[in-house]
Amino acid sequence: PPMEPRKQARDQAEYAGTFSGERSRAHGVILDRSTAGCRARSGVTVAKGEFCGVLIDVPSDETPLHVDLAVVRWAEGQEFGMEFIRMTTDYQQRLR
């Protein structure tokens, strides 16, 4: 089946990210992001359906963006897409 169109446009970006999953902790690169989620690449394989927390280092900000809870919606090789489920209001505003 064809993929559904995105609810929000994603910004092209390359930010350092840290993913803290149930079984692993990995560093990677955020390739693009929106207020609803992001696409990332990491040397550690993640599984579809896995839940994790995400820290995104945004160069213009002193503190990283923190997503309390995200879920992996798709994974292909070293790339994967995550949907953000829970984050503080402050971070939601900063992401916009």
Side-chain angles (χ1 to χ4, degrees), residues 6-57:
R6 301 210 171 282
K7 294 181 187 78
Q8 278 98 2
R10 287 193 169 175
D11 296 326
Q12 290 295 309
E14 284 215 9
Y15 302 121
T18 305
F19 315 101
S20 312
E22 296 148 47
R23 298 184 306 278
S24 60
R25 186 180 173 89
H27 295 285
V29 180
I30 307 295
L31 300 168
D32 59 29
R33 67 185 174 86
S34 72
T35 52
C38 69
R39 180 170 63 99
R41 183 171 56 227
S42 175
V44 175
T45 308
V46 296
K48 181 180 173 186
E50 193 171 334
F51 290 94
C52 62
V54 187
L55 282 174
I56 304 170
D57 286 316

